[in-house]
Amino acid sequence: MKSGSPEVLEWRRDPITGVWVIIAPQRSQRPYEFEVELEQGQNYPCVFCEGMESCTPEEAFCLRNEDGKWQVRVFPNKFPALGRREKLFWEKEGLFYERMGGFGVHEVIVETPEHYLSFVDFPVEQLERVVYTYRERMKFWGQEERLRYCLIFKNQGMQAGASMFHPHSQLIATPVIPKRVEEELALARDFYSRERRCVFCALLEEELKMEKRLIFKNEYFVALVPYAARFSYEVWILPLEHCAYFTELEQLSSFAEILKLVLQALAEALGKPVFNFVLHVAPYRRESTDEDCRWVYHWHLEIIPFPVRMAGFEWGTGFYINPVIPENAASVLRKLIDIRVGESCGRH
Amino acid sequence: MKSGSPEVLEWRRDPITGVWVIIAPQRSQRPYEFEVELEQGQNYPCVFCEGMESCTPEEAFCLRNEDGKWQVRVFPNKFPALGRREKLFWEKEGLFYERMGGFGVHEVIVETPEHYLSFVDFPVEQLERVVYTYRERMKFWGQEERLRYCLIFKNQGMQAGASMFHPHSQLIATPVIPKRVEEELALARDFYSRERRCVFCALLEEELKMEKRLIFKNEYFVALVPYAARFSYEVWILPLEHCAYFTELEQLSSFAEILKLVLQALAEALGKPVFNFVLHVAPYRRESTDEDCRWVYHWHLEIIPFPVRMAGFEWGTGFYINPVIPENAASVLRKLIDIRVGESCGRH
């Protein structure tokens, strides 16, 4: 099947801010299910459903149960922001503009064959399959030497930017290290050079001592509201042991457990499960300058619950205004999880 | 009247990203008119209307016509993100968190006494009064030595983050230079040190030569779609002559004219007038390091039209995906303005 060869698919760099932008006109041809929010999910069966496999681009990865039915399924995005067949080049345009070919990877990870099953309601075992898939796809693209970074994220709900109702996440792998990751790395390197330790490990130690922003902790992970949370009820999940690479994650079920508890508590606290989450990991090790990432970086998951409205102040400053005191948000979520965990302990 | 003394109003710095966040719990007590979008504007008269002046905090600035009726009115935001009575301090919290007192200024600029008059439909003379007010308030706060930056922005429409229907803009002045401005300045300084000229002036020269991203030009200003536009139909308006400070603007009517033409064209192209705009200016000159801003920076207005959805990719990378080719957006807007200007010439 044709996966839609675009007229233009390129990176452009803004000479004023240094930010790279992907110009991807074919993205505007995406089907958009959510024009009327009330109709959410009514487009059933959709191309992500069981039985509709022939409507997607060719399968890249699949997890099946004993009956041979798929449980998680990965394929290239039909309306990609970046493409593997695009050229990898860099050039000047005019006197001082810069552009690159739109080389990269953009995959869809369909998280369940069940159209109507909400991510928040997945059994822990299914969540475990999803995070296993994240890890395997991230490893897989690590073999492609021209890719420097692999981003996995999920947009849940129309207001969070999803264009399809059927539960899915996305993977975008790029030949450049994202600005946000560069910023994190710069400060983490700076901290490491002064303190000889990972800034995230220091943060965890401090938060475990202070307790007031902790939400939940299991054997391997901690969920907390960051000190300077940008958004109401923003939550981070971090491994307790230092680790820069999600590809090295072994405690899949423990991670699935804490993820489910946090998302359930957010849905309860805020009334509906609409959120973005993003896996922050160290860049692939390609150059000698990437080597220190193993020591200075610490992978984590950032969850940004609805509603997030970027407005004039945020665009103009790069700062944020958060109307919910982080300690209060943590307290609400902690209590909700306590009740749930207490209940589930009682049942056993 | 009480302007709502908050429990907490503080800046917090994220040690991982370096971003400052304003924690402003009293912002969540704002009245929110737009719960149901269809009811937009039905809350009439509102506290911004003529005759309701006693319901707002004390007036800080006002423009009146010959009859003594006000035409533009400025007062402190009743639910401020920053406050003048807050303390200006910086301190460490625990081992490595940093916070500052919530000192700063947050004003509302009511742009017209008329509740139902849309900004896009303002007569040019009224727009001129609005931009005159921007300039005067920016000058005024320049006298407060503790403020380093003054941001003026407008959120038009619920989806753009407005909480009140009645036409208004906002001013926020801060004791720190915004991250976004620091980033622009860093690259502008770098360019200046290599080329001995302003990067915006170079950009203008290039764009005037290339023409394909130009939308409109009058005697003093240019409107264009930037080369690496982050969003569909993003537009910048820049003065043709080098100038770092909006406070030095003299060609008010010329600026009002181009602003009106661009906003009308955007509303026509996109179906409704929902947008954010932000005035980007150089920081106030406080320290010797601010001196070079006069030469390296160039004030401009950035307009980000609806719809902007930040989602996982943008949060995770700091990059953007734009589905509309900037040259195509420019062409659409250019044609719409050509028709309108042609018509208005025909009438004379």
Side-chain angles (χ1 to χ4, degrees):
Chain A
M1 82 173 305
K2 257 181 79 181
S3 79
S5 170
E7 275 175 68
V8 193
L9 196 58
E10 65 176 24
W11 294 87
R12 293 186 181 189
R13 183 173 181 272
D14 186 299
I16 305 297
T17 60
V19 168
W20 285 98
V21 175
I22 301 171
I23 307 292
Q26 76 285 12
R27 295 281 290 164
S28 62
Q29 294 155 23
R30 281 186 296 174
Y32 196 72
E33 285 186 347
F34 289 143
E35 286 303 331
V36 178
E37 194 185 349
L38 294 173
E39 291 178 14
Q40 271 198 22
Q42 298 196 347
N43 182 17
Y44 172 79
C46 76
V47 296
F48 291 179
C49 282
E50 203 167 6
M52 304 291 277
E53 292 79 4
S54 63
C55 301
T56 68
E58 203 179 340
E59 191 170 289
F61 178 87
C62 187
L63 282 182
R64 295 183 189 279
N65 66 10
E66 304 89 39
D67 307 335
K69 289 191 169 224
W70 65 266
Q71 297 173 294
V72 181
R73 196 165 171 266
V74 182
F75 45 82
N77 194 308
K78 200 169 171 181
F79 304 92
L82 296 169
R84 284 197 70 203
R85 272 171 281 174
E86 300 298 318
K87 285 187 188 129
L88 182 64
F89 66 86
W90 173 91
E91 65 180 23
K92 282 241 175 188
E93 188 172 340
L95 276 179
F96 74 152
Y97 291 131
E98 288 167 51
R99 63 194 202 103
M100 297 193 295
F103 173 79
V105 172
H106 191 172
E107 289 185 333
V108 173
I109 299 165
V110 180
E111 298 154 346
T112 172
E114 292 182 54
H115 186 82
Y116 290 107
L117 185 62
S118 172
F119 193 77
V120 178
D121 298 325
F122 279 18
V124 174
E125 300 71 39
Q126 186 62 19
L127 269 187
E128 196 178 326
R129 287 182 201 109
V130 172
V131 295
Y132 171 82
T133 305
Y134 290 173
R135 188 187 71 186
E136 294 309 303
R137 292 316 286 167
M138 216 175 241
K139 270 190 206 167
F140 178 82
W141 288 116
Q143 298 162 38
E144 165 61 86
E145 287 292 330
R146 291 173 296 175
L147 294 169
R148 297 201 62 193
Y149 197 79
C150 184
L151 182 83
I152 286 176
F153 61 96
K154 177 172 174 66
N155 302 330
Q156 163 89 41
M158 177 193 69
Q159 296 103 324
S163 62
M164 294 286 283
F165 176 83
H166 192 121
H168 68 285
S169 331
Q170 295 179 71
L171 176 153
I172 292 186
T174 57
V176 282
I177 297 176
K179 174 177 153 78
R180 167 68 200 260
V181 177
E182 292 275 20
E183 287 169 0
E184 288 185 349
L185 277 173
L187 281 174
R189 282 181 171 129
D190 185 50
F191 187 87
Y192 191 89
S193 71
R194 279 183 287 120
E195 312 275 339
R196 309 310 296 170
R197 66 189 296 217
C198 159
V199 65
F200 294 89
C201 288
L203 182 147
L204 276 175
E205 194 180 292
E206 188 87 341
E207 291 296 341
L208 288 168
K209 208 184 299 158
M210 289 176 141
E211 286 190 333
K212 58 188 173 182
R213 282 177 294 271
L214 289 189
I215 299 172
F216 186 71
K217 181 168 95 75
N218 64 19
E219 199 179 343
Y220 300 108
F221 296 93
V222 174
L224 53 81
V225 177
Y227 172 75
R230 294 159 295 177
F231 311 106
S232 311
Y233 291 87
E234 178 176 354
V235 175
W236 293 2
I237 299 177
L238 306 95
L240 279 162
E241 290 260 325
H242 179 79
C243 180
Y245 302 103
F246 187 78
T247 46
E248 295 176 1
L249 172 64
E250 284 175 11
Q251 302 81 15
L252 293 167
S253 67
S254 180
F255 183 57
E257 180 212 27
I258 196 166
L259 178 58
K260 185 175 165 79
L261 283 171
V262 168
L263 293 178
Q264 277 175 327
L266 283 170
E268 258 183 279
L270 304 175
K272 54 177 169 176
V274 177
F275 58 82
N276 301 114
F277 71 56
V278 182
L279 258 179
H280 285 246
V281 303
Y284 289 130
R285 277 175 294 163
R286 301 295 181 217
E287 299 176 11
S288 58
T289 50
D290 301 331
E291 272 309 315
D292 66 347
C293 293
R294 170 169 295 283
W295 314 112
V296 308
Y297 201 76
H298 195 120
W299 77 261
H300 59 285
L301 184 80
E302 296 190 4
I303 306 171
I304 302 174
F306 172 78
V308 168
R309 261 197 215 96
M310 292 286 279
F313 177 76
E314 291 79 7
W315 294 126
T317 58
F319 294 154
Y320 298 89
I321 301 174
N322 180 354
V324 178
I325 300 172
E327 293 73 24
N328 294 359
S331 162
V332 167
L333 297 173
R334 187 165 57 232
K335 280 174 196 154
L336 287 168
I337 291 184
D338 277 354
I339 293 167
R340 196 176 286 270
V341 172
E343 269 174 13
S344 95
C345 291
R347 259 186 266 123
H348 291 134
Chain B
M1 79 172 306
K2 258 181 78 182
S3 80
S5 168
E7 276 175 68
V8 193
L9 196 58
E10 64 176 24
W11 294 86
R12 293 185 181 189
R13 183 173 179 274
D14 186 298
I16 306 298
T17 58
V19 169
W20 286 98
V21 175
I22 301 171
I23 308 292
Q26 75 285 14
R27 294 282 291 165
S28 62
Q29 295 155 23
R30 278 185 297 173
Y32 196 74
E33 285 186 347
F34 288 142
E35 286 303 333
V36 178
E37 193 185 350
L38 294 172
E39 291 177 15
Q40 270 197 23
Q42 299 196 347
N43 182 18
Y44 172 78
C46 76
V47 296
F48 292 179
C49 282
E50 201 164 10
M52 304 290 279
E53 292 79 3
S54 63
C55 301
T56 66
E58 203 180 341
E59 189 169 292
F61 179 88
C62 187
L63 283 183
R64 296 184 188 278
N65 65 10
E66 304 89 40
D67 307 334
K69 291 193 167 224
W70 65 265
Q71 297 173 294
V72 180
R73 197 167 170 265
V74 182
F75 45 81
N77 194 308
K78 201 169 171 180
F79 304 92
L82 295 169
R84 284 199 70 202
R85 273 171 282 175
E86 301 297 319
K87 285 185 186 130
L88 182 64
F89 67 85
W90 173 93
E91 65 180 24
K92 282 239 174 188
E93 187 172 338
L95 276 179
F96 73 151
Y97 291 132
E98 288 166 51
R99 63 194 200 103
M100 295 194 295
F103 174 78
V105 172
H106 191 171
E107 289 185 333
V108 173
I109 299 165
V110 179
E111 298 154 347
T112 172
E114 292 183 53
H115 187 81
Y116 290 107
L117 185 62
S118 172
F119 193 78
V120 178
D121 298 325
F122 279 19
V124 174
E125 301 71 38
Q126 186 62 18
L127 268 187
E128 196 178 327
R129 288 181 200 110
V130 172
V131 296
Y132 171 83
T133 306
Y134 291 172
R135 188 187 72 186
E136 294 309 303
R137 292 315 287 165
M138 216 175 241
K139 270 190 205 167
F140 178 82
W141 289 116
Q143 298 162 38
E144 164 61 87
E145 287 290 329
R146 293 173 296 175
L147 294 169
R148 297 201 61 194
Y149 197 79
C150 185
L151 182 82
I152 286 176
F153 60 96
K154 178 172 173 65
N155 302 329
Q156 163 89 41
M158 178 193 70
Q159 296 103 324
S163 62
M164 294 286 283
F165 176 83
H166 193 121
H168 68 285
S169 333
Q170 295 179 70
L171 176 154
I172 291 186
T174 60
V176 282
I177 297 176
K179 175 179 152 75
R180 166 68 200 260
V181 178
E182 292 276 22
E183 287 169 0
E184 287 185 348
L185 277 172
L187 281 174
R189 281 179 171 130
D190 185 50
F191 187 87
Y192 191 89
S193 71
R194 278 183 288 118
E195 310 277 337
R196 308 312 293 169
R197 65 189 297 215
C198 159
V199 65
F200 294 88
C201 288
L203 182 147
L204 276 175
E205 193 181 293
E206 187 87 341
E207 291 296 342
L208 288 168
K209 209 184 299 159
M210 287 177 142
E211 287 189 331
K212 58 189 174 181
R213 282 176 295 269
L214 290 189
I215 301 172
F216 186 71
K217 181 167 95 74
N218 64 19
E219 200 179 344
Y220 300 108
F221 297 92
V222 173
L224 52 83
V225 177
Y227 173 74
R230 295 160 294 177
F231 311 107
S232 311
Y233 291 88
E234 178 176 353
V235 175
W236 292 3
I237 299 177
L238 306 95
L240 279 163
E241 290 261 324
H242 179 79
C243 180
Y245 301 103
F246 187 77
T247 46
E248 294 177 0
L249 172 64
E250 284 174 12
Q251 302 79 17
L252 292 166
S253 67
S254 180
F255 182 56
E257 179 213 27
I258 196 167
L259 178 58
K260 186 174 163 80
L261 283 171
V262 168
L263 292 178
Q264 277 175 327
L266 283 170
E268 258 183 279
L270 304 174
K272 54 178 168 176
V274 176
F275 56 82
N276 301 114
F277 70 58
V278 181
L279 257 180
H280 286 246
V281 303
Y284 288 131
R285 278 175 292 162
R286 301 295 182 216
E287 299 175 12
S288 59
T289 50
D290 301 331
E291 271 310 314
D292 66 348
C293 292
R294 170 169 296 282
W295 313 112
V296 308
Y297 201 76
H298 195 119
W299 78 261
H300 58 285
L301 184 80
E302 296 190 4
I303 306 170
I304 302 174
F306 172 80
V308 168
R309 261 197 215 95
M310 292 286 278
F313 177 76
E314 290 79 6
W315 295 125
T317 58
F319 293 155
Y320 298 88
I321 301 174
N322 181 353
V324 177
I325 299 171
E327 293 73 23
N328 293 359
S331 161
V332 167
L333 297 173
R334 188 165 56 232
K335 279 174 197 154
L336 288 168
I337 292 184
D338 276 355
I339 292 168
R340 196 175 287 270
V341 172
E343 268 174 14
S344 95
C345 290
R347 258 186 265 122
H348 291 131

